[in-house]
Amino acid sequence: MILILIQYPMRTLLRFSYLLFIFCASCGNVATKKADSGEKEENSIENKVEAQAESKVILFFGNSLTAGMGLDPNEAFPALIQEKVDSLELSYKVVNAGLSGETTASGKNRIGWVLNADIEVFVLELGANDGLRGIPLEETRSNLQEIIDVVHQKNPNTAIILAGMQIPPNMGQDYTSEFKEIFPELAKENNIDLIPFLLEDVAGNPELNQPDGIHPTAEGQKIIANNIWPIIASVLKNKKELAIE
């Protein structure tokens, strides 16, 4: 999963494009391994969700960024959000339902069994892989909307937070700009909270990304957690106020 901030000098954009080429080429080499391990990873996620069935759950539903690819799971931003929750002695359990390589279509297909538990907060982090593959924008929008609909149908009281995505301009400026706008538009249409750009202050910084230039380091994950925590904290505060009322 690649997520790149697009406002950089041409030399930087060329470097990103080169890294993107390397990454896409490598995807073919690891496809078989991912196919073999995908089922085990999905089962592991399902077990995590079921294990928290009696707790109030904050669920992160995404791809390799959420999964913390290349890092210890405890270094991924969902685990860091759990630390913040615990430090405030809040009665929430965070579930990391990130799956490397996930697209909006594959996410739509697995959303049903992820919702086995009663989810209080659902953070949706999908779409970048669609953009990098040039999937039609309406298909990406439709898949995201369907995921949102399924979550609301399961429990209308679940708070949904949508993570905004950006991609490099490889597919053309029009596609890139329209892709970026999918997320704030969906957030407004569905009256849900938005993380404007998940990798703000991380994307494009070699010191905050692993050698592949794509996935954040542990330090980068800390910045992501700090980026999204105010939004999650606001949602939790509102839910507490609603419960009191």
Side-chain angles (χ1 to χ4, degrees):
M1 210 287 291
I2 311 174
L3 205 56
I4 305 295
L5 186 61
I6 62 175
Q7 296 178 346
Y8 291 101
M10 182 58 65
R11 184 174 60 183
T12 306
L13 287 175
L14 290 174
R15 183 170 70 250
F16 290 168
S17 299
Y18 176 69
L19 290 171
L20 173 63
F21 172 79
I22 294 175
F23 176 74
C24 291
S26 68
C27 286
N29 296 330
V30 301
T32 302
K33 292 182 180 179
K34 285 186 176 180
D36 294 338
S37 63
E39 184 175 352
K40 292 181 179 178
E41 190 170 355
E42 287 183 358
N43 289 338
S44 175
I45 293 170
E46 185 173 10
N47 291 337
K48 291 178 187 177
V49 176
E50 290 178 345
Q52 303 296 348
E54 297 181 359
S55 304
K56 290 186 291 185
V57 172
I58 301 172
L59 188 138
F60 287 87
F61 188 72
N63 43 48
S64 58
L65 285 179
T66 293
M69 184 174 176
L71 301 173
D72 185 284
N74 291 327
E75 296 175 313
F77 67 82
L80 302 179
I81 295 299
Q82 180 71 74
E83 291 180 4
K84 292 178 181 293
V85 167
D86 292 343
S87 70
L88 295 173
E89 299 183 349
L90 300 175
S91 57
Y92 288 89
K93 296 297 182 182
V94 174
V95 173
N96 185 338
L99 190 64
S100 295
E102 191 86 302
T103 62
T104 58
S106 56
K108 180 182 69 174
N109 291 335
R110 76 177 175 108
I111 184 61
W113 56 259
V114 169
L115 298 177
N116 287 338
D118 187 10
I119 310 299
E120 289 282 323
V121 181
F122 182 91
V123 184
L124 177 55
E125 182 269 302
L126 286 176
N129 285 326
D130 293 43
L132 294 172
R133 298 177 186 185
I135 292 174
L137 296 171
E138 280 307 310
E139 182 176 337
T140 297
R141 177 190 293 271
S142 176
N143 289 337
L144 289 170
Q145 182 62 62
E146 188 165 341
I147 292 172
I148 292 169
D149 290 343
V150 169
V151 174
H152 275 157
Q153 289 166 8
K154 175 70 174 180
N155 184 355
N157 293 322
T158 296
I160 299 177
I161 300 173
L162 181 62
M165 301 293 174
Q166 297 180 28
I167 56 173
N170 301 68
M171 299 295 175
Q173 191 60 50
D174 288 344
Y175 183 96
T176 300
S177 298
E178 292 176 24
F179 176 87
K180 179 182 176 181
E181 291 305 311
I182 288 176
F183 304 93
E185 290 172 359
L186 280 175
K188 182 177 180 180
E189 291 167 8
N190 290 277
N191 193 28
I192 59 179
D193 288 279
L194 175 71
I195 300 167
F197 179 40
L198 188 73
L199 290 184
E200 190 70 42
D201 300 324
V202 175
N205 187 336
E207 294 183 357
L208 296 174
N209 287 276
Q210 297 177 48
D212 62 7
I214 298 164
H215 297 94
T217 61
E219 192 62 31
Q221 291 278 348
K222 292 178 182 178
I223 294 175
I224 296 173
N226 289 332
N227 287 344
I228 66 178
W229 172 247
I231 300 169
I232 294 176
S234 176
V235 169
L236 297 183
K237 179 181 178 181
N238 289 337
K239 291 186 79 64
K240 182 177 180 181
E241 290 174 352
L242 289 173
I244 292 174
E245 293 174 358

